[in-house]
Amino acid sequence: MSDLDRAAAALEAADKVVAITGAGISAESGVPTFRGSGGLWRRYRAEDLATPEAFERNPLLVWEWYWWRRTVIADAKPNPGHLALASFERRLPAFLLLTQNVDGLHAEAGSRQVIELHGNIWRARCTAECDRRVDQRHDPSADVTKLPRCSCGALLRPDVVWFGEGLDSRALDRATLAVQSCAVLLVIGTSAIVYPVAALPAMAKRHGAAVVEVNVAETPLTSHADIVLRGPSGVVLPELERRL
Ligand code: BJW
């Protein structure tokens, strides 16, 4: 039996499936990953752009980086990997998608049960007490030369999770519970090194789940995975879907 057939059989037998995705699933949509060749952290320093201290030091520089990334993501369309996961949700009895991606492409592909653990690049959030969230995707008046402000007057910031910041605790609790009770965990297109998400596959294994990794390259998870499907997620996931 091939690894793809084994993975498909595990999915079919599972009462509950959880998938974790990372930047690799959007690579085939033209969205740059963070690490590896062409990765954002090869060209930019995370310390200058993706920490609360960086935003305090130079909010305009941080906003300019996110505005640029929005232009890249605005042109991106969901690829066959995103579409296959949306189809898994429709076809499997219980399926939850946990994503580290902030690009919103899973929702655009039709996935409904999605937890965006690192936030969403199209949303901004007030830096002051009011904590208001603002959807900036459909804001035609958005001026990308001036620091955006909340209606309370305080600065807005991108509603994403930077290094050193905690993830939304309700989202992380839901993700943790799901991982502890699933029969199969798919881990797709992530370098599996950024915590706390990187701890979830080991947690799933401890609770008896089969862990299936889909990646073009080896990661620290590979040697612990039960099944490794080597290849681009835009090819591997549709092949898996065809076997269901
Ligand atoms: C394909 C493919 C194809 C390519 N098909 N595959 C030591 C020092 C400092 C900090 C720490 C430390 N040790 C631990 C920490 C904590 C830190 C951390 O984990 N750091 C590690 C790097 C060491 N974590 C945090 O700070 C987190 N918060 C935290 O721990 O809070 C504690 C706390 C609690 C309570 C109160 C306060 C604090 C937060 C982490 C936030 C990460 N944020 C980012 C930016 C998000 C916003 C944005 O987009 O701008 O999230 S960083 C970046 O990494 C982004 C990603 O979601 C995340 C993971 O990256 P991902 O998705 O895995 O992408 P890549 O590029 O790494 O990998 C792509 C993969 O795809 C590769 O494997 C390819 O092979 C593969 N691939 N093409 C299939 N076609």
Side-chain angles (χ1 to χ4, degrees):
M1 210 187 214
S2 73
D3 285 340
L4 263 171
D5 289 332
R6 284 173 58 222
L11 287 180
E12 277 188 321
D15 57 340
K16 210 164 163 187
V17 175
V18 173
I20 298 175
T21 61
I25 193 160
S26 294
E28 290 156 84
S29 296
V31 181
T33 61
F34 292 92
R35 299 163 188 87
S37 69
L40 292 169
W41 297 154
R42 290 280 176 102
R43 284 182 284 159
Y44 306 96
R45 279 163 37 93
E47 298 86 335
D48 295 339
L49 298 163
T51 66
E53 295 76 21
F55 188 73
E56 253 170 54
R57 258 193 324 267
N58 194 341
L60 190 57
L61 177 75
V62 173
W63 263 116
E64 281 170 350
W65 192 62
Y66 280 93
W67 286 327
W68 165 71
R69 286 181 55 205
R70 281 180 180 177
T71 64
V72 175
I73 289 169
D75 288 338
K77 293 276 162 288
N79 66 56
H82 296 106
L83 296 172
L85 288 176
S87 153
F88 289 175
E89 179 182 314
R90 292 190 296 271
R91 294 176 58 180
L92 297 173
F95 183 81
L96 178 67
L97 185 44
L98 312 176
T99 189
Q100 299 170 88
N101 298 345
V102 298
D103 56 30
L105 289 177
H106 285 303
E108 216 176 308
S111 286
R112 292 290 164 261
Q113 299 299 319
V114 187
I115 302 182
E116 295 180 320
L117 289 164
H118 289 169
N120 188 298
I121 200 167
W122 294 107
R123 246 183 359 247
R125 159 159 68 90
C126 183
T127 51
E129 297 299 300
C130 88
D131 206 33
R132 193 169 281 123
R133 258 72 172 173
V134 183
D135 178 358
Q136 297 186 314
R137 177 153 207 166
H138 306 290
D139 181 3
S141 64
D143 179 351
V144 295
T145 56
K146 275 204 323 248
L147 281 173
R149 291 198 173 268
C150 179
S151 49
C152 78
L155 269 189
L156 288 170
R157 56 160 281 179
D159 192 10
V160 299
V161 182
W162 287 323
F163 285 112
E165 294 187 309
L167 280 59
D168 177 82
S169 60
R170 280 183 44 208
L172 186 59
D173 286 350
R174 272 187 68 202
T176 305
L177 281 175
V179 157
Q180 290 175 346
S181 60
C182 69
V184 176
L185 179 70
L186 294 166
V187 185
I188 304 155
T190 175
S191 55
I193 59 165
V194 176
Y195 286 86
V197 174
L200 297 177
M203 186 184 288
K205 276 205 81 140
R206 278 199 304 279
H207 285 79
V211 173
V212 180
E213 183 180 56
V214 179
N215 203 304
V216 290
E218 188 167 339
T219 74
L221 174 66
T222 305
S223 59
H224 306 282
D226 297 286
I227 304 174
V228 176
L229 303 176
R230 181 74 64 236
S233 46
V235 174
V236 171
L237 294 174
E239 279 180 9
L240 201 49
E241 184 194 354
R242 275 193 288 279
R243 284 167 168 76
L244 292 183

